[in-house]
Amino acid sequence: MMSLLLWWSIEFPARTLSCLLDGWRCQQQYWRSSLFHGARVCLSPAPLPDKLARLARRGCADGIALCYDGCQPRFAWLEHACLNLPQCGCAREEWQNCLHRSRQALQQGLLQLGREWSRL
């Protein structure tokens, strides 16, 4: 019981901060990539419809990458929290199964979304 109390009072806030920092790094990468790609496309001699199509395609791809990269640390954080739940029935196992199914559904959904958008 004492180890759970220590984890939730010390380790949980530290892991929460780490998860938030990882999310911030992913967003920073996304904005940097979008900014430089957008500037390069806008300054190119291509016609305007081609520029807009390239910006839209890249924006969709970067958005999917941001969602995928940003969800990994969050799922890891939730799994650590799940491992440090007090044992009460089978709640811990149910939460682990729910997290596993949610992660798979999210990854498959992002993959399907990428496939659909790449056909446009």
Side-chain angles (χ1 to χ4, degrees), residues 17-93:
L17 180 61
S18 174
C19 179
L20 291 172
L21 288 174
D22 286 343
W24 181 73
R25 278 187 219 105
C26 287
Q27 289 179 4
Q28 189 179 31
Q29 249 181 334
Y30 168 78
W31 288 112
R32 188 181 310 124
S33 170
S34 295
L35 176 71
F36 287 120
H37 180 263
R40 191 174 62 228
V41 168
C42 288
L43 295 175
S44 72
L48 184 62
D50 290 343
K51 288 180 184 182
L52 294 176
R54 287 171 57 193
L55 288 173
R57 262 193 318 273
R58 178 65 183 261
C60 291
D62 283 348
I64 291 171
L66 174 65
C67 290
Y68 185 84
D69 293 344
C71 78
Q72 299 305 320
R74 289 180 181 95
F75 275 111
W77 172 71
L78 288 171
E79 286 171 359
H80 281 290
C82 179
L83 292 175
N84 290 287
L85 283 176
Q87 278 289 17
C88 54
C90 59
R92 184 185 294 180
E93 290 79 18

